């Protein structure tokens, strides 16, 4: 089962299910099934510049590559429409660009993006854009302003898909037998192993996408370190604690397997609707709920009253604190369900997610609460 945390950002990936190219107005289908005319493409020029924030000089003879591509399909290589290559002798950033195109090259249903790279005279990738820079094809001249680039760190293949994971960092992963810990932030990556007194430290490499995984290739002459992080539900092999990512670390010929990310990301950012308490269904037309926040609060609705408490996540499990609730009087059946629900909730010691995505909260004596995430559209409606 794939779990996609809310703070995970895949920058530069687009998906549009349409094909073809026309200089005429295109048809788009609205949600109610009606066809809608799209404005005819009019773009004849795309202009802007590329730069970066770091005060680092480019080697003489570096080449700036700027490309305009059709990026409509995430499952197919981008189609090149126009490009500009500028050799930089005695020049530094910003580097201006101007791409000449024809309106007939575009289809209003598709997406088109400008990307840029700077390579050394030997062809080594030095700088790159890492996000989509989409153009509005209805404008005769599209001015993208200054496109900011990131510095390439670590080993990156020429055809690698580079992604921005700033919202994903800092990231921590752990494994067992023997124990190991990986920590990654925007500047440094460190790997500590239980049987090795030396901690491997490297600058955080540029992040690329390999199939369904994020890859950090921090290999140097001294050490070979490749980290793959996959958004897949992972359970700690000793505690059973769920994590949002599987982590694989290949270090100098050894492969370490473990879990990573923040377990609370599996709980927060959604409302959970209770389906049963201690294997007993809830009363019809009562929507009991659980809402976890990033700052450790837990609250929601019981069958009759609202409640609030706090929760704590450790490497061993999840626990709640004293529960406060409103004192509204309801029918006896609802009051009894309130009491039972809050009693079980107050004794929670761990949580799991089953193969269907349902949240399972367990007490030490295996009483349980089962809840399912409310679809995002329903949450927005509320």
């Amino acid at each position: 089962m794939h779990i996609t945390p809310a703070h995970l950002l895949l920058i530069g990936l687009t998906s549009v299910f349409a094909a073809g190219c026309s200089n005429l107005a295109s048809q788009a289908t609205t949600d109610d099934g009606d066809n809608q005319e799209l404005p005819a493409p009019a773009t004849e020029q795309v202009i802007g510049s590329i730069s970066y924030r770091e005060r680092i000089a480019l080697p003489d003879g570096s080449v700036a590559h700027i490309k305009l591509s059709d990026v409509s399909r995430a499952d197919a290589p981008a189609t090149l429409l126009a490009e500009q290559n500028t050799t930089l002798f005695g020049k530094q950033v910003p580097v201006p660009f101007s791409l000449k195109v024809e309106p007939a090259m575009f289809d209003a249903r598709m997406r088109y993006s400008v990307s840029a790279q700077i390579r050394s005279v030997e062809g080594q990738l030095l700088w790159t854009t890492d996000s989509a820079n989409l153009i509005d094809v209805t404008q005769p001249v599209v001015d993208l302003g200054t496109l900011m680039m990131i510095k390439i760190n670590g080993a990156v293949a020429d055809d690698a898909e580079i992604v921005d994971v700033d919202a994903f960092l800092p990231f921590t992963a752990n494994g067992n037998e023997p124990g190991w810990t990986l920590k990654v932030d925007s500047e440094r990556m460190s790997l500590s192993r239980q049987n090795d007194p030396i901690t491997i430290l490297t600058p955080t490499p540029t992040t690329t996408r390999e199939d369904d995984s994020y890859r950090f290739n921090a290999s140097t002459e001294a050490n070979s370190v490749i980290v793959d992080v996959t958004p897949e539900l992972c359970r700690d092999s000793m505690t059973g604690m769920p994590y949002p990512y599987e982590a694989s670390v290949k270090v100098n010929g050894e492969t370490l397997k473990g879990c990573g990310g923040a377990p609370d990301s599996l709980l927060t950012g959604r409302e959970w609707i209770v389906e049963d308490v201690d294997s007993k269904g809830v009363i019809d037309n009562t929507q009991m709920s659980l809402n976890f926040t990033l700052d450790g609060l837990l609250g929601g609705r019981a069958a009759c009253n609202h409640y609030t408490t706090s929760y704590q996540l450790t490497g061993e499990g999840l626990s709640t604190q004293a529960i406060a609730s409103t004192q509204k009087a309801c029918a006896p059946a609802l009051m009894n369900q309130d009491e039972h629900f809050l009693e079980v909730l107050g004794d929670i010691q761990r949580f799991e997610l089953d193969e269907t995505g349902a949240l399972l909260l367990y007490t030490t004596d295996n009483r349980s609460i089962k809840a399912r995430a409310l679809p995002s559209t329903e949450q927005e409606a509320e």
Side-chain angles (χ1 to χ4, degrees), residues 195-209:
N195 297 335
D196 192 337
I198 299 176
T199 297
I200 297 177
L201 297 173
T202 71
T204 298
T206 300
T207 313
T208 61
R209 188 170 175 84

Side-chain angles (χ1 to χ4, degrees), residues 283 303-304 329-339:
I283 298 173
C304 176
C330 296
L334 296 178
M335 298 296 288
N336 289 337
Q337 184 164 283
D338 264 22
E339 183 179 356

Side-chain angles (χ1 to χ4, degrees), residues 46-50 95-98 142-147:
V46 180
I47 62 175
S49 64
I50 59 173
V95 178
F97 64 84
S98 176
V142 177
D143 187 350
L144 293 177
T146 301
L147 307 184

Side-chain angles (χ1 to χ4, degrees), residues 83-271:
E83 66 177 329
Q84 173 183 309
N85 297 318
T86 304
T87 304
L88 306 175
F89 286 108
K91 297 180 180 179
Q92 299 293 326
V93 294
V95 178
F97 64 84
S98 176
L99 302 172
K100 300 290 186 180
V101 291
E102 297 288 340
M105 300 170 67
F106 302 104
D107 184 325
R109 297 168 297 178
M110 302 304 183
R111 293 188 180 184
Y112 303 91
S113 178
V114 172
S115 62
Q117 295 181 344
I118 297 178
R119 293 180 178 270
S120 69
V121 67
E122 295 85 10
Q124 179 185 3
L125 184 59
L126 304 176
W127 300 86
T128 184
T129 51
D130 65 342
S131 60
N133 301 289
L134 300 177
I135 69 168
D136 180 357
V137 298
T138 66
Q139 301 300 311
V141 178
V142 177
D143 187 350
L144 293 177
T146 301
L147 307 184
M148 302 307 295
M149 312 178 78
I150 63 168
K151 188 176 185 299
I152 295 299
N153 295 312
V156 175
D158 287 346
D159 59 350
E161 178 188 351
I162 297 168
V163 295
D164 181 359
V165 290
D166 280 351
F168 169 80
L169 300 177
F171 175 80
T172 300
N174 299 277
N176 305 304
E177 299 178 351
W180 59 270
T181 298
L182 173 79
K183 295 182 179 179
V184 187
D185 60 27
S186 60
E187 297 181 352
R188 177 178 293 183
M189 187 164 77
S190 67
L191 176 64
S192 302
R193 289 173 289 174
Q194 186 176 10
N195 297 335
D196 192 337
I198 299 176
T199 297
I200 297 177
L201 297 173
T202 71
T204 298
T206 300
T207 313
T208 61
R209 188 170 175 84
E210 299 280 341
D211 297 324
D212 293 331
S213 300
Y214 303 103
R215 171 162 288 187
F216 301 86
N217 190 340
S219 298
T220 64
E221 292 183 2
N223 294 289
S224 174
V225 183
I226 300 175
V227 178
D228 289 312
V229 178
T230 305
E232 182 81 20
L233 185 65
C234 182
R235 292 179 175 84
D236 184 89
S237 61
M238 294 184 67
T239 67
M241 171 69 79
Y243 289 83
Y245 297 97
E246 290 182 347
S248 172
V249 182
K250 298 177 182 176
V251 52
N252 298 330
E254 180 183 4
T255 299
L256 308 173
K257 296 286 188 179
C259 301
D264 58 3
S265 68
L266 298 171
L267 301 170
T268 59
R270 68 210 76 184
E271 182 173 32

